[in-house]
Amino acid sequence: MVSTPAAAFNPAAPTQCQGSEGYAAAFGGRRTFTLRPEELEAVKASLNDPAVATAYRALIARADEALARKPGSVLDKRTIPLSNDRRDYLSLAPYWWPDPANPKGPYVRKDGQVNPERDTNRFDRTALGRLVSDADTLGLAYYHSGERKYADKVAALIRAWFLDPTTGMNPNMNYAQAVPGRENGRAEGVLDTSGFIAVIDAVGLIGPSGALSAAKIGKLEAWFSAYVDWMRTSKNGKEEAAAHNNHGVWYDAQLARFALFARRDDIARKTVAAFPKLRMEKQIDASGALPHELTRTRSFHYSIFTLDAAYHLADSAACLGSDLYRTEAKGRTLRKATDFIAAYRERQSEWPHKELKWPAQALDDLLVRADAAWGPGAYRRQLAGDMALRYRSAE
């Protein structure tokens, strides 16, 4: 393994993420890890730009809708987990369906086709998704508007989902992505908490408001510390860590970020150090392709999805003084993997693998992040929606 730092990468620079403190020192006390102060500050200074202003108005409209919603919790589901504890998270595996030949028998798999039953109030998946979306929206709305009501709502969401002793989720995924008739909970269910990465940054964005006291943030850190322990010691957590596809990369991305937030830098550091040999050497081929994802019915989507996780881990690595964006492992690099899929931008008909629904917007969003990592000018920034409020249009 050869690590080649770029001249622009300087862990001691004031704009760099600093361990478990994130970007707080350079960002007015906002303890973010993915969202970068130089990008957000540039956007905030350009709110009068027509494209940014349009995105801002849409953001505020969604934030106001979120204000009117009652904070969700794991108590909202109609199904009681086998533990008989409603505070245990419960979800249905996305690609598993009733068997038409045996309706009362075990579910069968249809790769790439999501069972709509998954998103009903029988389970927690929809409520968790709403938590992530609302917290992310409200945190960004607070940053750009300065209106305290948005920060207060983020705090209410955090208290209801994580901290309230009556409604707070237990820090485990024992019953996540269950398959009726087959498994009561699967290792793949660990992926359901990937959205908490965005929640952590939302908490960081509202930091200066004081909407969450230091004591409450300490309790939230303790929640994530307990979840980190569950990820490392439970059967489902260990099996997910051993996954050889996008699940393994997302496991690393979550573990490192949650450990940083929980101020357990040693765990994050070990995860980062292991990544080149454990994931890059084994999951990226010499061309830059991700072979484990190419077998899927949504091969391009899952290639993007895997790199999304890898970028999150690289962002965490930067907090620890490591540059995974420019690390080489037996000729494999994240840049080469990015170039492999970027080559098919606006050339979807030439993609030689299966893809049920071409994810053009997801590719554009990924390449905005890629340009922030390797640019300026490494990739064309094509901003849409909230991305125009997270990243400047050009360097």
Side-chain angles (χ1 to χ4, degrees):
M1 180 185 76
V2 178
S3 181
T4 309
F9 182 75
N10 178 5
T15 55
Q16 289 295 324
C17 188
Q18 297 292 311
S20 58
E21 290 300 325
Y23 285 107
F27 203 11
R30 299 173 182 88
R31 188 182 167 216
T32 61
F33 296 89
T34 293
L35 297 176
R36 303 181 185 188
E38 64 270 23
E39 296 285 345
L40 282 172
E41 288 166 355
V43 171
K44 193 170 186 177
S46 63
L47 286 180
N48 291 328
D49 175 90
V52 178
T54 298
Y56 176 71
R57 287 193 296 271
L59 172 75
I60 294 302
R62 292 200 317 277
D64 287 342
E65 291 174 358
L67 286 178
R69 278 193 282 271
K70 176 186 175 183
S73 81
V74 287
L75 297 192
D76 295 340
K77 62 178 172 291
R78 292 191 292 109
T79 306
I80 299 176
L82 290 177
S83 62
N84 206 36
D85 186 344
R86 293 180 64 87
R87 293 176 60 198
D88 282 334
Y89 177 90
L90 175 67
S91 68
L92 181 71
Y95 303 139
W96 291 82
W97 297 68
D99 185 352
N102 183 18
K104 294 184 178 180
Y107 276 29
V108 294
R109 191 169 188 268
K110 299 180 182 179
D111 188 34
Q113 301 180 48
V114 177
N115 183 346
E117 182 184 8
R118 177 179 188 245
D119 294 319
T120 66
N121 63 3
R122 290 185 56 204
F123 305 101
D124 289 312
R125 182 65 185 86
T126 297
L128 184 149
R130 188 178 299 116
L131 161 75
V132 172
S133 177
D134 283 355
D136 184 55
T137 294
L138 290 159
L140 199 59
Y142 170 71
Y143 172 75
H144 284 302
S145 73
E147 293 195 43
R148 171 67 184 250
K149 62 184 179 180
Y150 299 126
D152 286 341
K153 189 64 174 187
V154 173
L157 297 178
I158 295 300
R159 288 193 296 268
W161 191 273
F162 296 100
L163 305 180
D164 188 293
T166 302
T167 65
M169 173 184 162
N170 291 327
N172 71 69
M173 282 276 140
N174 292 328
Y175 304 102
Q177 292 204 18
V179 180
R182 296 182 184 275
E183 296 174 279
N184 296 323
R186 303 187 307 152
E188 291 86 343
V190 177
L191 184 59
D192 282 14
T193 54
S194 60
F196 289 167
I197 290 174
V199 171
I200 285 171
D201 265 21
V203 169
L205 285 179
I206 70 165
S209 72
L212 276 174
S213 67
K216 293 295 185 184
I217 291 175
K219 288 182 179 180
L220 186 61
E221 291 170 358
W223 191 97
F224 276 96
S225 183
Y227 186 55
V228 163
D229 287 338
W230 179 88
M231 289 181 70
R232 299 174 70 214
T233 62
S234 67
K235 175 180 178 292
N236 284 353
K238 289 179 178 179
E239 288 182 2
E240 188 75 340
H244 298 301
N245 62 354
N246 66 86
H247 281 270
V249 181
W250 273 109
Y251 176 92
D252 289 353
Q254 292 187 76
L255 184 64
R257 185 63 55 83
F258 299 161
L260 279 177
F261 183 73
R263 301 186 185 279
R264 299 176 69 177
D265 293 23
D266 57 326
I267 293 173
R269 199 177 302 279
K270 289 177 182 177
T271 306
V272 166
F275 187 77
K277 185 174 182 61
L278 181 64
R279 308 295 184 196
M280 292 172 64
E281 285 187 18
K282 297 178 180 179
Q283 292 184 230
I284 303 173
D285 71 16
S287 72
L290 301 169
H292 293 292
E293 313 310 324
L294 298 184
T295 63
R296 306 292 298 272
T297 59
R298 298 210 60 201
S299 59
F300 201 81
H301 160 79
Y302 276 108
S303 295
I304 294 172
F305 189 57
T306 305
L307 285 176
D308 186 26
Y311 289 8
H312 280 302
L313 184 63
D315 289 342
S316 295
C319 302
L320 301 167
S322 296
D323 190 2
L324 284 184
Y325 281 112
R326 295 169 181 82
T327 292
E328 179 181 308
K330 290 189 176 179
R332 277 70 169 163
T333 67
L334 295 184
R335 179 68 184 271
K336 183 180 288 188
T338 301
D339 285 344
F340 181 85
I341 62 170
Y344 292 93
R345 193 181 210 176
E346 300 169 354
R347 294 171 54 205
Q348 64 187 74
S349 63
E350 299 176 38
W351 179 249
H353 309 283
K354 291 182 179 180
E355 178 53 59
L356 296 177
K357 183 180 179 182
W358 190 257
Q361 189 59 60
L363 177 59
D364 284 345
D365 291 351
L366 185 82
L367 295 182
V368 170
R369 292 181 65 191
D371 189 66
W374 290 291
Y379 302 92
R380 173 168 49 91
R381 294 195 182 194
Q382 190 159 309
L383 299 165
D386 281 357
M387 290 299 282
L389 298 170
R390 302 172 193 273
Y391 295 90
R392 69 191 95 185
S393 60
E395 291 288 343

